[in-house]
Amino acid sequence: MKDLQLLVRPNIWSLEPYSSARDEYKGHEAHVFLDANESPYNKPYNRYPDPLQTELKKLVSQEKNVPEANIFVGNGSDEAIDLVYRVFCAPGLDNVVAIEPTYGMYAVCAAINDVDYRRVLLDEQFRFSADRLLEAANARTKAIFLCSPNNPTGNDLDRDEMLSLVRRFDGIVVVDEAYADFSDQRPMRVELETCPNLVVLNTLSKAWGSAGIRLGLAYASKEIVGLFNKVKYPYNVSTLAQEKAIEILRRSYDVHAWVGRTKKERARVMEAFRQLPICKTVYPTSANFFLARMTEAETIYRYLIDKGIVVRNRSRVALCGNCLRVTIGNTQENVELLSALRKYVPA
């Protein structure tokens, strides 16, 4: 890995971050707060939230076995994705490399930040090659994006290949593990100690059933977490979001049970899809969704919409022609989906 200062945008490295009122008295006990121009009424929501989410990070650290100093908490994983660009990539000069197909926000954030986005196509089994990603990189490549399990394909990326990439690339490697709670593969966050250029993303939106609170996580070196905290908005995660995140993290037993039920339903629904005459291929998955190649995806998608059932048509995505991405719901939702598809009559 290059020296971190060489990877970071010079203006970000020298940035004097905004100093929030809650930061300035850190280390002292206080009970009268007349520093932040807050209202004294409507407690407790009259006060700004903890800017560094201290209590929440303690619980994340316990659950994920990552030191608190290596945890960044954001307004969804999308905030952490955007921060990679804002911290490391000079607009109009630098570039990033990413697998294709994958989660669309990597490209959107690149466009917003005026950063060249280089796509490297997966093979027909949705596998990637560290060599091909490195071939697409040059001296101005600041980051490489991977997603495992990948979205929309659902498959785990080869772990040895990911480690090879991290160790050979001298910039930042981002591994998005939004769906890792549904996978049996060893998570990449355990490699942080020996891989200082690794950033691992996680979220409470999927297995933890909390998409509505917009709570994302990034695990990285203390130095990279410090840079993210330097650039983020001071109070980026609301008090309500922090409270709800703490509440769900204290229910980890329930969450693990949800994951188990989802994996059982996943196996059942995928097998049912394989029996459908209108389904050509069901691809392996380690996520809470799967990709299925259909006979006529657009027509089937519209048919399901008319029945009040929404799946995702991924036909316009590279390598995913005529493919529907299907999220695993509860038993009743899955039964309704399968019942509708069994009644579908091709034109």
Side-chain angles (χ1 to χ4, degrees):
M1 177 184 174
K2 289 180 181 175
D3 184 271
L4 192 60
Q5 187 172 352
L6 297 176
L7 290 172
V8 176
R9 291 168 56 185
N11 64 306
I12 298 300
W13 189 263
S14 60
L15 176 69
E16 187 67 33
Y18 176 81
S19 179
S20 72
R22 294 297 174 262
D23 285 330
E24 292 175 355
Y25 76 90
K26 198 181 299 180
H28 299 276
E29 292 295 327
H31 63 281
V32 177
F33 297 99
L34 305 176
D35 58 329
N37 304 333
E38 301 155 321
S39 170
Y41 309 111
N42 193 37
K43 294 181 178 180
Y45 303 112
N46 60 322
R47 300 299 180 194
Y48 285 108
D50 176 1
L52 294 176
Q53 309 91 25
T54 307
E55 184 179 359
L56 173 56
K57 285 180 181 175
K58 288 179 181 177
L59 291 175
V60 173
S61 176
Q62 293 167 14
E63 176 66 28
K64 299 295 185 179
N65 198 28
V66 175
E68 293 170 47
N70 297 101
I71 300 170
F72 170 81
V73 181
N75 185 1
S77 297
D78 293 342
E79 181 178 11
I81 293 166
D82 187 56
L83 282 168
V84 171
Y85 288 96
R86 293 167 65 196
V87 168
F88 295 107
C89 299
L93 293 175
D94 291 331
N95 68 75
V96 302
V97 172
I99 58 172
E100 177 74 11
T102 195
Y103 180 43
M105 276 305 294
Y106 312 142
V108 170
C109 286
I112 290 170
N113 288 280
D114 191 21
V115 173
D116 181 31
Y117 185 80
R118 301 182 172 194
R119 306 167 193 263
V120 177
L121 204 62
L122 300 173
D123 70 15
E124 292 183 356
Q125 284 75 47
F126 304 133
R127 297 172 302 196
F128 88 102
S129 159
D131 287 341
R132 291 192 61 215
L133 288 171
L134 291 168
E135 286 169 6
N138 64 12
R140 298 234 56 121
T141 304
K142 291 297 186 69
I144 296 178
F145 282 87
L146 303 173
C147 183
S148 182
N150 191 27
N151 176 13
T153 60
N155 59 306
D156 286 316
L157 299 185
D158 184 274
R159 198 173 189 282
D160 290 339
E161 199 74 2
M162 286 194 284
L163 278 173
S164 172
L165 179 67
V166 173
R167 289 165 179 161
R168 293 162 62 192
F169 182 52
D170 60 6
I172 304 299
V173 177
V174 181
V175 180
D176 189 343
E177 293 189 332
Y179 301 95
D181 292 295
F182 302 101
S183 171
D184 295 327
Q185 183 163 276
R186 184 171 166 81
M188 288 292 286
R189 66 177 182 270
V190 302
E191 308 294 343
L192 288 173
E193 191 172 341
T194 58
C195 299
N197 61 330
L198 177 63
V199 175
V200 179
L201 305 181
N202 209 196
T203 180
L204 296 193
S205 294
K206 312 302 179 185
W208 294 80
S210 299
I213 71 173
R214 305 306 301 130
L215 202 295
L217 303 162
Y219 312 122
S221 68
K222 295 177 185 178
E223 292 76 16
I224 292 176
V225 168
L227 287 162
F228 283 6
N229 285 329
K230 187 180 188 181
V231 174
K232 77 175 182 70
Y233 293 120
Y235 304 107
N236 61 324
V237 180
S238 74
T239 298
L240 291 168
Q242 291 187 49
E243 288 177 348
K244 287 299 180 182
I246 288 168
E247 179 183 313
I248 194 65
L249 282 162
R250 287 175 174 159
R251 295 175 58 197
S252 60
Y253 180 83
D254 289 337
V255 172
H256 298 320
W258 298 344
V259 169
R261 289 203 292 271
T262 298
K263 290 166 81 169
K264 286 182 180 178
E265 279 293 293
R266 181 178 72 190
R268 185 180 71 82
V269 175
M270 290 174 69
E271 181 56 34
F273 257 71
R274 292 186 187 98
Q275 305 305 316
L276 293 171
I278 57 174
C279 180
K280 292 183 173 181
T281 308
V282 178
Y283 291 98
T285 184
S286 295
N288 67 329
F289 63 85
F290 64 92
L291 194 69
R293 198 174 302 274
M294 313 299 285
T295 54
E296 43 189 7
E298 178 64 22
T299 306
I300 295 166
Y301 170 76
R302 292 295 171 191
Y303 164 80
L304 290 173
I305 288 285
D306 289 341
K307 299 290 183 183
I309 301 168
V310 184
V311 296
R312 196 81 190 269
N313 184 2
R314 299 281 75 189
S315 296
R316 294 179 180 85
V317 174
L319 302 179
C320 297
N322 259 333
C323 284
L324 299 179
R325 191 191 71 190
V326 181
T327 305
I328 302 300
N330 61 34
T331 301
Q332 181 180 344
E333 291 168 331
N334 298 332
V335 166
E336 188 172 346
L337 167 67
L338 293 170
S339 177
L341 289 173
R342 286 167 181 148
K343 294 173 184 174
Y344 175 79
V345 179

